Amino acid sequence: MADKKSQKKELSQKQKFRKDRKAAQMKKKLSLSVPVPEGLKKAWERENRAIAIRKKIRESKLAALPKKRQNQADRIKRYEQEYVQIKTDRQTNIINARKDGNFFKDTDPKIAIVIRIRGINRVSPKVRKVLQLFRLLQIHNAVFIKLNKATINMLKLIQPYIAYGYPSVGCIRSLIYKRGFAKIRSRPGAISRIPIMSSELIEKNLGRSNIETVEDMVHEIATVGPNFTKTVNFLWPFKLNCPKGGYRGRKRRHFLEGGTYGNWEHHINNLVQRML
């Protein structure tokens, strides 16, 4: 038994000696019998410089992240205050007009959401072209458009094939959060449909326009800001479901006649919620 124990000790000492020798060899400076080519040296230096630059950029971004997040939070708070102020101003104007015995006429809406409710059968060429311009290629596709004389005339032309109205801020927000996909041009001639899962994707494509988060996009669309077109074109057309509980009346009847197509005005929010 004593011999076995002494052998184990000797083995452990040998193993320890081997480990120490290996560690000492690793610490020794690598010496080559042949000198390193200059091109390889430059390539190593270039790679090390690139690694150092990337590390520096990463550290600077991490250092600036808390301040950046705080600025975004403050901006979102200002947006909410702006929405509340618009609502209270409108209610105040209505009350003041009633007191004077008048009616308050709100400003004309600047934005509309357009939903395609009919398919591709028996569509005239002119209507098909307008639907293509609005990017409504499939049934139950939805897009945001800016209302002006040209777009209003286009809406009149394709009215039997669409349902449109004036969305609220909550409707815009729920659409982007639940069905928001980005249109990314990865290379010339190739467009990818990527879900909006982080603010980095938005900042990468719309950061130059000071749009960094989903709430920035919601504010830009709801207020029809200067970067409205860029923001809407960044979004892929929304793909919605059939409305829960079915359509209102018949598709081929106007909304005012108890049907579905045409201008829903502010009632479009209810239809969008049922199609999410």
Side-chain angles (χ1 to χ4, degrees):
M1 293 291 289
D3 294 337
K4 285 183 180 179
K5 285 182 180 179
S6 61
Q7 284 177 1
K8 281 185 180 179
K9 282 182 181 179
E10 287 176 4
L11 285 171
S12 61
Q13 286 176 358
K14 284 182 181 179
Q15 288 173 355
K16 189 177 179 183
F17 175 72
R18 284 173 186 167
K19 282 184 180 179
D20 293 342
R21 188 174 64 184
K22 194 173 181 181
Q25 287 175 355
M26 293 292 287
K27 285 180 182 178
K28 281 183 182 178
K29 190 175 181 182
L30 183 64
S31 59
L32 297 175
S33 57
V34 181
V36 180
E38 288 296 322
L40 193 57
K41 276 186 180 179
K42 288 180 180 178
W44 286 348
E45 290 173 2
R46 189 165 57 247
E47 189 177 348
N48 291 334
R49 281 199 303 271
I51 290 169
I53 289 167
R54 284 197 294 269
K55 186 179 178 183
K56 190 176 180 181
I57 292 169
R58 189 164 59 248
E59 288 175 353
S60 64
K61 282 184 178 179
L62 285 172
L65 192 62
K67 188 177 180 182
K68 180 180 171 185
R69 290 283 183 264
Q70 185 62 41
N71 291 337
Q72 290 174 354
D74 295 341
R75 200 159 61 238
I76 291 168
K77 285 180 183 177
R78 288 200 301 272
Y79 294 158
E80 291 298 329
Q81 291 171 1
E82 184 180 345
Y83 301 146
V84 172
Q85 187 65 38
I86 290 170
K87 194 173 181 181
T88 53
D89 289 347
R90 184 175 179 277
Q91 290 175 347
T92 305
N93 290 332
I94 290 171
I95 292 168
N96 292 337
R98 283 179 180 172
K99 285 180 180 178
D100 297 337
N102 296 324
F103 294 99
F104 172 71
K105 184 185 180 300
D106 206 351
T107 56
D108 292 333
K110 299 178 183 178
I111 178 182
I113 180 170
V114 185
I115 306 170
R116 182 167 178 170
I117 59 171
R118 284 177 64 180
I120 60 174
N121 293 337
R122 299 171 67 185
V123 181
S124 68
K126 192 177 283 188
V127 170
R128 189 186 295 117
K129 183 63 180 177
V130 175
L131 290 170
Q132 285 176 1
L133 292 173
F134 280 152
R135 301 188 297 162
L136 299 172
L137 305 180
Q138 296 174 320
I139 191 170
H140 299 148
N141 275 10
V143 292
F144 296 113
I145 63 165
K146 189 189 294 186
L147 289 176
N148 51 39
K149 187 178 179 181
T151 54
I152 288 170
N153 288 334
M154 291 164 78
L155 287 174
K156 287 177 183 176
L157 189 66
I158 61 171
Q159 202 171 49
Y161 298 86
I162 59 168
Y164 68 97
Y166 316 129
S168 62
V169 176
C171 177
I172 297 169
R173 185 182 288 120
S174 60
L175 264 173
I176 295 176
Y177 273 113
K178 293 182 179 179
R179 296 298 174 98
F181 282 79
K183 185 175 66 177
I184 305 297
R185 297 182 184 274
S186 53
R187 61 181 186 276
I191 302 174
S192 302
R193 182 173 180 260
I194 299 173
I196 299 172
M197 301 294 288
S198 67
S199 298
E200 293 177 3
L201 183 67
I202 301 170
E203 187 178 357
K204 185 179 178 182
N205 292 275
L206 298 174
R208 292 181 180 179
S209 305
N210 200 24
I211 297 171
E212 299 174 348
T213 61
V214 174
E215 291 299 327
D216 292 332
M217 293 174 64
V218 171
H219 180 263
E220 193 69 24
I221 293 171
T223 58
V224 193
N227 300 305
F228 175 85
T229 306
K230 286 183 184 177
T231 308
V232 170
N233 288 336
F234 170 71
L235 289 169
W236 197 280
F238 301 102
K239 296 188 177 185
L240 305 178
N241 294 326
C242 296
K244 291 179 182 177
Y247 286 103
R248 180 178 180 269
R250 291 187 178 182
K251 276 190 189 181
R252 295 179 181 237
R253 282 192 178 178
H254 196 278
F255 177 75
L256 299 177
E257 298 172 351
T260 302
Y261 81 79
N263 189 359
W264 286 54
E265 296 186 357
H266 299 289
H267 299 288
I268 197 72
N269 297 314
N270 182 25
L271 178 65
V272 171
Q273 290 298 326
R274 288 194 290 122
M275 296 181 79
L276 283 176

